[in-house]
């Protein structure tokens, strides 16, 4: 009887695990958005070709991030609303990019303080719509890129040029919005990419929301302190993984949280494997880097396409593309890839702890009873 009950228990746990895996990777064929992805690819080819032509590929990531993040932040609606909000986001991104590259070589505690302040502010602003939390992700990625460039002896960059590249990428999407508005009869347009369905709705700032924003800011700032304070090899992958895997709102569904966490891990492993060839030197290294820039661009395109197809794969594509671009300035080897995966696991693990705390806060906020053990 004991063995039979044990077998039943193992089958139950196995069934739950398979059920969760099936939900995380469930596909919605009607959710593919190929026209939107092709449009993004067409636009992204502009900065890619321009920077290849002038020989300043170091500014390409900022331009691509400006284009991608402005696309993700586009609220849809009428032309006035789209332009005003996209322009405001572009200015915010330009300021964060300037701060990140200005702070790329300063002491780790200043980096930690700035990341904490921005993440906390973005978390509290999430009551006006969860997409405001994208500012924290933008700052962490820009800091990682700035840190990688600062500690690389092969390339250097200018802060104002990085800001200009970001602004150019953002402006490219705003101009495309104007063209789209004219083509479609000057009417309102739907929101291009919904990070979370209904995430533009405003919410009351309650004590649990404020506490969650504080915990999340402390977690991300802590990963920055560990990565930069201890000068960990490729340690900036830790805060990137944490901020990608983190819930962007207290009431975000557990399934979406699991998909974000899974996507962050898949994207990090894929990026680490793709960066192995950068251990080459000379002409082969140049060719490899140009090829990986194209791979990152294609990953972003697929992220735009599959957002409503499967959220976990969307998160994996966005994370992999971003990590490839921030990892290119530093040559790689097998040890480096091991560190990158290790710090990603650490960052995602810290994010998982915060998700568990968020679950407790959610139950406390709603008054729901604790689930049975």
């Amino acid at each position: 009887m004991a063995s039979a009950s044990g077998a039943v228990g193992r089958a139950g746990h196995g069934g739950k695990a398979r059920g969760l895996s099936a939900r995380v990777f469930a596909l919605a064929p009607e959710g593919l958005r190929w026209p939107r992805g092709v449009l993004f690819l067409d636009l992204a080819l502009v900065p890619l070709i321009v920077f290849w032509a002038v020989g300043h590929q170091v500014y390409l990531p900022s331009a691509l991030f400006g284009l991608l993040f402005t696309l993700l932040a586009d609220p849809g609606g009428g032309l006035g609303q789209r332009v005003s909000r996209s322009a405001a986001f572009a200015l915010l991104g330009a300021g964060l990019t300037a701060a990140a590259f200005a702070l790329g070589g300063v002491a780790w505690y200043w980096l930690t303080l700035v990341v904490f302040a921005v993440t906390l502010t973005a978390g509290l602003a999430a009551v006006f719509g969860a997409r405001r939390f994208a500012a924290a992700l933008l700052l962490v990625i820009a800091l990682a890129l700035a840190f990688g460039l600062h500690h690389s002896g092969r390339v250097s960059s200018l802060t104002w040029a990085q800001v200009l590249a970001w602004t150019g990428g953002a402006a490219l999407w705003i101009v495309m919005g104007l063209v789209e508005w004219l083509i479609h009869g000057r009417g309102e347009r739907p929101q291009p990419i919904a990070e979370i369905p209904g995430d533009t709705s405003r919410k009351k700032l309650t004590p649990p929301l404020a506490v969650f924003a504080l915990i999340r800011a402390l977690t991300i700032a802590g990963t920055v302190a560990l990565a930069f304070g201890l000068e960990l090899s490729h340690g900036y992958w830790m805060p990137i993984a944490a901020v990608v895997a983190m819930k962007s709102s207290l009431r975000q569904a557990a399934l979406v949280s699991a998909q974000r966490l899974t996507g962050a891990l898949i994207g990090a492993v894929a990026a680490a494997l793709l960066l192995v060839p950068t251990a080459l030197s000379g002409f082969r290294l140049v060719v490899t880097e140009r090829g990986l820039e194209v791979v990152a661009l294609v990953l972003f395109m697929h992220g735009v396409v599959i957002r409503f197809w499967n959220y976990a794969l969307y998160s994996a594509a966005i994370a992999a593309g971003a990590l490839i671009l921030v990892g290119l300035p530093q040559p790689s080897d097998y040890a480096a890839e091991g560190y990158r995966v290790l710090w990603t696991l650490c960052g995602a693990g810290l994010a998982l702890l915060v998700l568990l705390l968020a679950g407790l806060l959610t139950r406390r906020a709603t008054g729901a009873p604790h689930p049975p053990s």
Side-chain angles (χ1 to χ4, degrees):
M1 291 178 62
S3 60
S5 61
V8 172
R10 287 192 298 271
H13 287 297
K16 290 180 179 178
R18 287 191 295 271
L20 177 61
S21 176
R23 292 195 301 273
V24 167
F25 293 103
L27 304 179
E30 69 280 2
L32 293 175
R33 300 289 190 270
W34 285 109
R36 185 66 64 184
V38 172
L39 174 61
F40 171 81
L41 179 62
D42 291 341
L43 294 176
L45 286 173
V46 175
L48 179 71
I49 295 174
V50 168
F51 287 118
W52 278 5
V54 300
H56 292 290
Q57 295 85 0
V58 67
Y59 302 112
L60 176 63
S62 292
L64 291 180
F65 289 142
L67 174 61
L68 177 66
F69 276 89
T70 307
L71 165 61
L72 296 177
D74 189 337
L79 179 65
Q81 174 181 334
R82 293 184 66 186
V83 171
S84 60
R85 293 191 180 183
S86 297
F89 181 82
L91 291 176
L92 172 64
L96 293 176
T97 301
F101 281 92
L103 295 171
V106 303
W108 64 271
Y109 45 84
W110 288 113
L111 300 178
T112 303
L113 181 61
V114 170
V115 169
F116 172 77
V118 171
T119 307
L120 179 60
T121 303
L124 294 176
V127 297
F128 300 104
R131 65 181 58 248
R132 272 68 174 182
F133 185 62
L137 174 60
L138 168 62
L139 177 65
V140 171
I141 290 178
L143 273 176
L145 179 60
F147 183 84
L149 293 173
H150 181 78
H151 289 79
S152 173
R154 301 184 302 119
V155 292
S156 61
S157 69
L158 299 173
T159 298
W160 67 267
Q162 294 287 358
V163 174
L164 185 60
W166 158 273
T167 307
L172 194 59
W173 179 255
I174 295 175
V175 171
M176 187 62 237
L178 173 60
V179 173
E180 186 181 37
W181 178 74
L182 292 173
I183 292 175
H184 289 278
R186 304 182 181 183
E188 293 191 355
R189 299 297 301 156
Q191 180 180 324
I193 302 293
E195 172 68 9
I196 306 168
D199 69 350
T200 56
S201 61
R202 300 193 175 206
K203 306 174 182 65
K204 182 180 179 181
L205 182 59
T206 60
L209 285 175
V211 172
F212 175 65
L214 178 61
I215 293 175
R216 184 173 53 194
L218 288 172
T219 303
I220 297 176
T223 60
V224 170
L226 290 173
F228 297 106
L230 299 179
E231 297 184 355
L232 301 176
S233 176
H234 303 281
Y236 54 82
W237 282 45
M238 187 189 304
I240 292 179
V243 77
V244 169
M246 198 77 67
K247 293 175 66 169
S248 55
S249 68
L250 180 58
R251 299 185 184 277
Q252 185 174 340
L255 175 60
V256 176
S257 301
Q259 289 175 321
R260 290 178 69 97
L261 189 63
T262 304
L265 293 175
I266 294 175
V269 172
L273 294 175
L274 289 169
L275 285 169
V276 170
T278 58
L280 303 172
S281 60
F283 177 74
R284 294 176 63 192
L285 174 59
V286 173
V287 174
T288 299
E289 288 182 340
R290 300 296 81 78
L292 287 176
E293 288 168 355
V294 174
V295 169
L297 189 154
V298 173
L299 285 169
F300 286 156
M301 181 206 74
H302 280 82
V304 172
V305 170
I306 65 177
R307 163 60 189 92
F308 300 99
W309 189 56
N310 180 267
Y311 190 74
L313 298 180
Y314 157 81
S315 300
I318 298 298
L323 290 171
I324 287 173
L325 290 178
V326 300
L328 280 178
Q330 298 191 41
S332 181
D333 52 39
Y334 290 110
E337 301 319 311
Y339 281 124
R340 285 166 170 162
V341 174
L342 173 62
W343 304 139
T344 298
L345 292 173
C346 292
L350 289 173
L352 178 60
L353 292 177
V354 174
L355 296 182
L356 295 177
L357 288 174
L360 296 177
L361 286 173
T362 303
R363 286 194 292 272
R364 181 178 178 182
T366 57
H370 290 273
S373 60

